[in-house]
Short mmCIF file of all heavy atoms in Angstrom, two decimals:
data_model
loop_
_atom_site.label_atom_id
_atom_site.label_comp_id
_atom_site.label_asym_id
_atom_site.label_seq_id
_atom_site.Cartn_x
_atom_site.Cartn_y
_atom_site.Cartn_z
N VAL A 312 -4.86 -58.59 -5.10
CA VAL A 312 -5.17 -57.80 -6.24
C VAL A 312 -3.90 -56.95 -6.54
O VAL A 312 -3.75 -55.83 -5.89
CB VAL A 312 -6.31 -56.91 -6.05
CG1 VAL A 312 -6.66 -56.14 -7.28
CG2 VAL A 312 -7.57 -57.75 -5.72
N PRO A 313 -2.91 -57.36 -7.42
CA PRO A 313 -1.81 -56.55 -7.68
C PRO A 313 -2.23 -55.16 -8.17
O PRO A 313 -3.19 -54.99 -8.88
CB PRO A 313 -1.08 -57.35 -8.79
CG PRO A 313 -1.62 -58.70 -8.68
CD PRO A 313 -3.00 -58.61 -8.23
N PRO A 314 -1.49 -54.09 -7.85
CA PRO A 314 -1.72 -52.75 -8.26
C PRO A 314 -2.00 -52.63 -9.79
O PRO A 314 -2.96 -51.81 -10.06
CB PRO A 314 -0.67 -51.90 -7.82
CG PRO A 314 0.02 -52.69 -6.67
CD PRO A 314 -0.24 -54.17 -7.03
N GLU A 315 -1.26 -53.27 -10.57
CA GLU A 315 -1.54 -53.09 -12.05
C GLU A 315 -2.85 -53.64 -12.43
O GLU A 315 -3.40 -53.09 -13.47
CB GLU A 315 -0.33 -53.70 -12.84
CG GLU A 315 -0.24 -55.13 -12.75
CD GLU A 315 0.69 -55.68 -11.58
OE1 GLU A 315 0.79 -54.89 -10.66
OE2 GLU A 315 1.17 -56.73 -11.71
N HIS A 316 -3.33 -54.65 -11.76
CA HIS A 316 -4.68 -55.17 -12.10
C HIS A 316 -5.74 -54.15 -11.68
O HIS A 316 -6.77 -53.98 -12.47
CB HIS A 316 -4.90 -56.58 -11.39
CG HIS A 316 -4.01 -57.62 -11.96
ND1 HIS A 316 -4.10 -58.95 -11.51
CD2 HIS A 316 -3.02 -57.66 -12.83
CE1 HIS A 316 -3.30 -59.67 -12.14
NE2 HIS A 316 -2.59 -58.90 -12.91
N GLY A 317 -5.56 -53.56 -10.49
CA GLY A 317 -6.53 -52.58 -10.06
C GLY A 317 -6.51 -51.40 -11.01
O GLY A 317 -7.50 -50.79 -11.30
N THR A 318 -5.28 -51.06 -11.57
CA THR A 318 -5.18 -49.88 -12.54
C THR A 318 -5.93 -50.21 -13.83
O THR A 318 -6.71 -49.41 -14.30
CB THR A 318 -3.79 -49.60 -12.89
OG1 THR A 318 -3.10 -49.26 -11.62
CG2 THR A 318 -3.64 -48.39 -13.74
N LYS A 319 -5.83 -51.48 -14.29
CA LYS A 319 -6.58 -51.87 -15.51
C LYS A 319 -8.20 -51.63 -15.28
O LYS A 319 -8.79 -51.22 -16.18
CB LYS A 319 -6.32 -53.38 -15.88
CG LYS A 319 -4.92 -53.60 -16.37
CD LYS A 319 -4.66 -55.01 -16.68
CE LYS A 319 -3.31 -55.33 -17.22
NZ LYS A 319 -3.06 -56.81 -17.55
N ASN A 320 -8.60 -52.05 -14.07
CA ASN A 320 -9.96 -51.98 -13.77
C ASN A 320 -10.44 -50.47 -13.81
O ASN A 320 -11.45 -50.05 -14.27
CB ASN A 320 -10.37 -52.60 -12.50
CG ASN A 320 -10.22 -54.14 -12.51
OD1 ASN A 320 -10.35 -54.72 -13.57
ND2 ASN A 320 -10.01 -54.75 -11.38
N VAL A 321 -9.52 -49.64 -13.21
CA VAL A 321 -9.90 -48.20 -13.12
C VAL A 321 -9.94 -47.58 -14.59
O VAL A 321 -10.86 -46.86 -14.82
CB VAL A 321 -8.77 -47.48 -12.32
CG1 VAL A 321 -8.94 -45.89 -12.48
CG2 VAL A 321 -8.94 -47.83 -10.87
N ILE A 322 -9.03 -47.93 -15.44
CA ILE A 322 -9.04 -47.47 -16.79
C ILE A 322 -10.29 -47.98 -17.53
O ILE A 322 -10.87 -47.12 -18.24
CB ILE A 322 -7.75 -47.88 -17.48
CG1 ILE A 322 -6.50 -47.19 -16.91
CG2 ILE A 322 -7.86 -47.59 -19.06
CD1 ILE A 322 -5.16 -47.73 -17.41
N ARG A 323 -10.62 -49.26 -17.34
CA ARG A 323 -11.91 -49.71 -18.02
C ARG A 323 -13.14 -49.00 -17.51
O ARG A 323 -13.98 -48.61 -18.25
CB ARG A 323 -12.03 -51.18 -17.69
CG ARG A 323 -10.95 -52.18 -18.32
CD ARG A 323 -11.40 -53.61 -18.21
NE ARG A 323 -10.41 -54.51 -18.56
CZ ARG A 323 -9.55 -55.21 -17.71
NH1 ARG A 323 -9.88 -55.07 -16.42
NH2 ARG A 323 -8.67 -55.99 -18.12
N GLY A 324 -13.15 -48.65 -16.18
CA GLY A 324 -14.23 -47.96 -15.58
C GLY A 324 -14.33 -46.59 -16.07
O GLY A 324 -15.38 -46.06 -16.46
N CYS A 325 -13.11 -45.95 -16.39
CA CYS A 325 -13.12 -44.62 -16.90
C CYS A 325 -13.75 -44.61 -18.33
O CYS A 325 -14.54 -43.72 -18.73
CB CYS A 325 -11.69 -43.95 -16.99
SG CYS A 325 -11.05 -43.56 -15.35
N ARG A 326 -13.25 -45.58 -19.16
CA ARG A 326 -13.74 -45.55 -20.53
C ARG A 326 -15.25 -45.92 -20.58
O ARG A 326 -15.94 -45.36 -21.41
CB ARG A 326 -12.94 -46.64 -21.21
CG ARG A 326 -11.39 -46.29 -21.38
CD ARG A 326 -10.65 -47.23 -22.32
NE ARG A 326 -11.18 -47.02 -23.66
CZ ARG A 326 -10.74 -47.65 -24.69
NH1 ARG A 326 -9.79 -48.62 -24.56
NH2 ARG A 326 -11.14 -47.46 -25.86
N ALA A 327 -15.64 -46.89 -19.76
CA ALA A 327 -17.02 -47.25 -19.82
C ALA A 327 -17.90 -46.13 -19.24
O ALA A 327 -19.04 -46.03 -19.66
CB ALA A 327 -17.25 -48.55 -18.98
N GLY A 328 -17.59 -45.41 -18.25
CA GLY A 328 -18.30 -44.38 -17.63
C GLY A 328 -18.15 -43.05 -18.30
O GLY A 328 -18.80 -42.06 -17.79
N GLY A 329 -17.44 -42.90 -19.37
CA GLY A 329 -17.28 -41.50 -20.03
C GLY A 329 -16.40 -40.52 -19.12
O GLY A 329 -16.58 -39.36 -19.29
N VAL A 330 -15.53 -41.05 -18.37
CA VAL A 330 -14.65 -40.22 -17.49
C VAL A 330 -13.63 -39.58 -18.35
O VAL A 330 -12.82 -40.24 -19.05
CB VAL A 330 -14.01 -41.03 -16.33
CG1 VAL A 330 -13.03 -40.16 -15.59
CG2 VAL A 330 -15.05 -41.58 -15.36
N PRO A 331 -13.48 -38.20 -18.34
CA PRO A 331 -12.60 -37.49 -19.22
C PRO A 331 -11.15 -37.41 -18.71
O PRO A 331 -10.16 -37.21 -19.52
CB PRO A 331 -13.22 -36.15 -19.42
CG PRO A 331 -13.88 -35.88 -18.19
CD PRO A 331 -14.42 -37.24 -17.69
N VAL A 332 -10.96 -37.47 -17.42
CA VAL A 332 -9.63 -37.21 -16.87
C VAL A 332 -9.22 -38.21 -15.78
O VAL A 332 -10.10 -38.57 -14.98
CB VAL A 332 -9.54 -35.78 -16.21
CG1 VAL A 332 -8.24 -35.60 -15.47
CG2 VAL A 332 -9.69 -34.70 -17.28
N LEU A 333 -8.03 -38.72 -15.83
CA LEU A 333 -7.45 -39.71 -14.85
C LEU A 333 -6.15 -39.24 -14.44
O LEU A 333 -5.20 -39.17 -15.21
CB LEU A 333 -7.45 -41.17 -15.42
CG LEU A 333 -6.68 -42.21 -14.57
CD1 LEU A 333 -7.46 -42.34 -13.22
CD2 LEU A 333 -6.63 -43.52 -15.28
N ILE A 334 -6.01 -38.92 -13.10
CA ILE A 334 -4.69 -38.52 -12.54
C ILE A 334 -4.22 -39.66 -11.68
O ILE A 334 -4.87 -40.04 -10.72
CB ILE A 334 -4.83 -37.26 -11.74
CG1 ILE A 334 -5.50 -36.08 -12.43
CG2 ILE A 334 -3.39 -36.86 -11.29
CD1 ILE A 334 -4.76 -35.78 -13.69
N TYR A 335 -3.09 -40.23 -11.96
CA TYR A 335 -2.59 -41.37 -11.36
C TYR A 335 -1.37 -41.03 -10.37
O TYR A 335 -0.54 -40.24 -10.76
CB TYR A 335 -2.03 -42.43 -12.39
CG TYR A 335 -1.35 -43.60 -11.72
CD1 TYR A 335 -2.13 -44.50 -11.01
CD2 TYR A 335 0.01 -43.85 -11.83
CE1 TYR A 335 -1.49 -45.68 -10.34
CE2 TYR A 335 0.68 -44.86 -11.32
CZ TYR A 335 -0.13 -45.86 -10.55
OH TYR A 335 0.53 -46.88 -9.99
N THR A 336 -1.49 -41.56 -9.12
CA THR A 336 -0.44 -41.34 -8.15
C THR A 336 0.59 -42.41 -8.24
O THR A 336 0.42 -43.52 -7.92
CB THR A 336 -0.99 -41.32 -6.71
OG1 THR A 336 -2.01 -40.37 -6.59
CG2 THR A 336 0.11 -40.89 -5.74
N SER A 337 1.70 -42.03 -8.97
CA SER A 337 2.79 -42.99 -9.15
C SER A 337 3.81 -42.79 -7.96
O SER A 337 3.46 -42.49 -6.93
CB SER A 337 3.40 -42.77 -10.49
OG SER A 337 4.49 -43.71 -10.80
N SER A 338 5.07 -42.89 -8.29
CA SER A 338 6.11 -42.71 -7.27
C SER A 338 7.47 -42.51 -8.01
O SER A 338 7.66 -42.93 -9.07
CB SER A 338 6.27 -44.06 -6.43
OG SER A 338 7.37 -44.02 -5.66
N MET A 339 8.40 -41.84 -7.32
CA MET A 339 9.71 -41.77 -7.86
C MET A 339 10.35 -43.07 -8.00
O MET A 339 11.32 -43.27 -8.85
CB MET A 339 10.57 -40.87 -6.91
CG MET A 339 10.95 -41.62 -5.60
SD MET A 339 12.26 -40.74 -4.63
CE MET A 339 12.66 -42.04 -3.44
N GLU A 340 9.85 -44.07 -7.25
CA GLU A 340 10.50 -45.45 -7.38
C GLU A 340 10.25 -46.12 -8.72
O GLU A 340 10.90 -47.14 -8.86
CB GLU A 340 10.04 -46.20 -6.21
CG GLU A 340 10.54 -45.69 -4.77
CD GLU A 340 10.14 -46.53 -3.69
OE1 GLU A 340 10.19 -47.80 -3.79
OE2 GLU A 340 9.73 -45.94 -2.60
N VAL A 341 9.40 -45.56 -9.53
CA VAL A 341 9.30 -46.13 -10.94
C VAL A 341 10.63 -45.95 -11.64
O VAL A 341 10.95 -46.53 -12.61
CB VAL A 341 8.11 -45.63 -11.71
CG1 VAL A 341 6.85 -45.87 -10.99
CG2 VAL A 341 8.24 -44.09 -12.02
N VAL A 342 11.38 -44.86 -11.22
CA VAL A 342 12.70 -44.64 -11.74
C VAL A 342 13.78 -45.28 -10.89
O VAL A 342 14.62 -45.98 -11.44
CB VAL A 342 12.96 -43.07 -11.86
CG1 VAL A 342 14.32 -42.79 -12.38
CG2 VAL A 342 11.86 -42.49 -12.82
N GLY A 343 13.74 -44.92 -9.63
CA GLY A 343 14.83 -45.55 -8.78
C GLY A 343 14.55 -45.09 -7.38
O GLY A 343 13.48 -44.57 -7.01
N PRO A 344 15.55 -45.33 -6.47
CA PRO A 344 16.87 -45.87 -6.75
C PRO A 344 16.89 -47.28 -7.32
O PRO A 344 15.96 -48.15 -6.92
CB PRO A 344 17.59 -45.89 -5.32
CG PRO A 344 16.72 -44.93 -4.56
CD PRO A 344 15.36 -45.01 -5.04
N ASN A 345 17.88 -47.59 -8.19
CA ASN A 345 17.90 -48.95 -8.72
C ASN A 345 18.71 -49.87 -7.86
O ASN A 345 19.22 -49.44 -6.83
CB ASN A 345 18.56 -48.76 -10.15
CG ASN A 345 19.99 -48.26 -10.18
OD1 ASN A 345 20.73 -48.38 -9.16
ND2 ASN A 345 20.36 -47.77 -11.28
N THR A 346 18.82 -51.09 -8.32
CA THR A 346 19.36 -52.09 -7.44
C THR A 346 20.86 -51.89 -7.33
O THR A 346 21.52 -52.46 -6.44
CB THR A 346 19.02 -53.47 -7.94
OG1 THR A 346 19.44 -53.52 -9.33
CG2 THR A 346 17.63 -53.83 -7.92
N ARG A 347 21.53 -51.14 -8.17
CA ARG A 347 22.98 -50.94 -8.04
C ARG A 347 23.31 -49.72 -7.20
O ARG A 347 24.56 -49.56 -6.84
CB ARG A 347 23.54 -50.63 -9.47
CG ARG A 347 23.55 -51.77 -10.50
CD ARG A 347 24.37 -51.56 -11.68
NE ARG A 347 24.40 -50.13 -12.17
CZ ARG A 347 24.78 -49.87 -13.38
NH1 ARG A 347 25.28 -50.79 -14.12
NH2 ARG A 347 24.85 -48.67 -13.75
N GLY A 348 22.27 -48.96 -6.86
CA GLY A 348 22.53 -47.78 -5.96
C GLY A 348 23.17 -46.64 -6.75
O GLY A 348 23.94 -45.85 -6.23
N ASP A 349 22.89 -46.54 -8.00
CA ASP A 349 23.35 -45.35 -8.82
C ASP A 349 22.74 -44.08 -8.34
O ASP A 349 21.45 -44.02 -8.12
CB ASP A 349 23.09 -45.48 -10.32
CG ASP A 349 23.86 -46.69 -10.86
OD1 ASP A 349 25.00 -46.84 -10.58
OD2 ASP A 349 23.29 -47.45 -11.69
N PRO A 350 23.43 -43.05 -8.11
CA PRO A 350 22.79 -41.78 -7.54
C PRO A 350 21.97 -41.05 -8.61
O PRO A 350 22.21 -41.21 -9.78
CB PRO A 350 24.02 -40.96 -7.13
CG PRO A 350 25.11 -41.42 -8.00
CD PRO A 350 24.94 -42.91 -8.19
N PHE A 351 21.02 -40.35 -8.22
CA PHE A 351 20.19 -39.52 -9.10
C PHE A 351 19.95 -38.18 -8.37
O PHE A 351 19.14 -37.98 -7.48
CB PHE A 351 18.76 -40.22 -9.25
CG PHE A 351 17.89 -39.60 -10.25
CD1 PHE A 351 17.97 -39.93 -11.59
CD2 PHE A 351 17.00 -38.57 -9.91
CE1 PHE A 351 17.06 -39.35 -12.61
CE2 PHE A 351 16.09 -37.99 -10.80
CZ PHE A 351 16.20 -38.40 -12.13
N LEU A 352 20.81 -37.26 -8.63
CA LEU A 352 20.90 -35.99 -7.90
C LEU A 352 20.19 -34.87 -8.69
O LEU A 352 20.70 -34.40 -9.68
CB LEU A 352 22.33 -35.63 -7.56
CG LEU A 352 23.01 -36.52 -6.54
CD1 LEU A 352 24.53 -36.21 -6.37
CD2 LEU A 352 22.29 -36.42 -5.17
N ARG A 353 19.11 -34.35 -8.13
CA ARG A 353 18.30 -33.24 -8.60
C ARG A 353 18.06 -33.38 -10.10
O ARG A 353 18.11 -32.45 -10.86
CB ARG A 353 19.08 -31.98 -8.32
CG ARG A 353 19.42 -31.87 -6.78
CD ARG A 353 20.08 -30.62 -6.38
NE ARG A 353 20.73 -30.82 -5.06
CZ ARG A 353 21.18 -29.89 -4.28
NH1 ARG A 353 21.13 -28.64 -4.68
NH2 ARG A 353 21.71 -30.10 -3.11
N GLY A 354 17.61 -34.59 -10.45
CA GLY A 354 17.33 -34.91 -11.86
C GLY A 354 15.87 -34.58 -12.15
O GLY A 354 15.06 -34.17 -11.37
N ASP A 355 15.62 -34.60 -13.49
CA ASP A 355 14.27 -34.41 -13.97
C ASP A 355 13.75 -35.62 -14.80
O ASP A 355 14.37 -36.58 -14.83
CB ASP A 355 14.10 -33.03 -14.65
CG ASP A 355 15.06 -33.00 -16.00
OD1 ASP A 355 15.42 -34.08 -16.50
OD2 ASP A 355 15.45 -31.87 -16.33
#
Side-chain angles (χ1 to χ4, degrees):
V312 183
E315 63 272 21
H316 290 187
T318 303
K319 289 179 180 178
N320 291 335
V321 169
I322 294 171
R323 291 192 191 103
C325 288
R326 298 189 66 181
V330 174
V332 172
L333 172 61
I334 309 298
Y335 175 67
T336 307
S337 185
S338 167
M339 71 170 192
E340 292 182 43
V341 304
V342 176
N345 64 22
T346 54
R347 294 195 322 197
D349 295 318
F351 188 91
L352 287 173
R353 309 183 195 191
D355 58 27

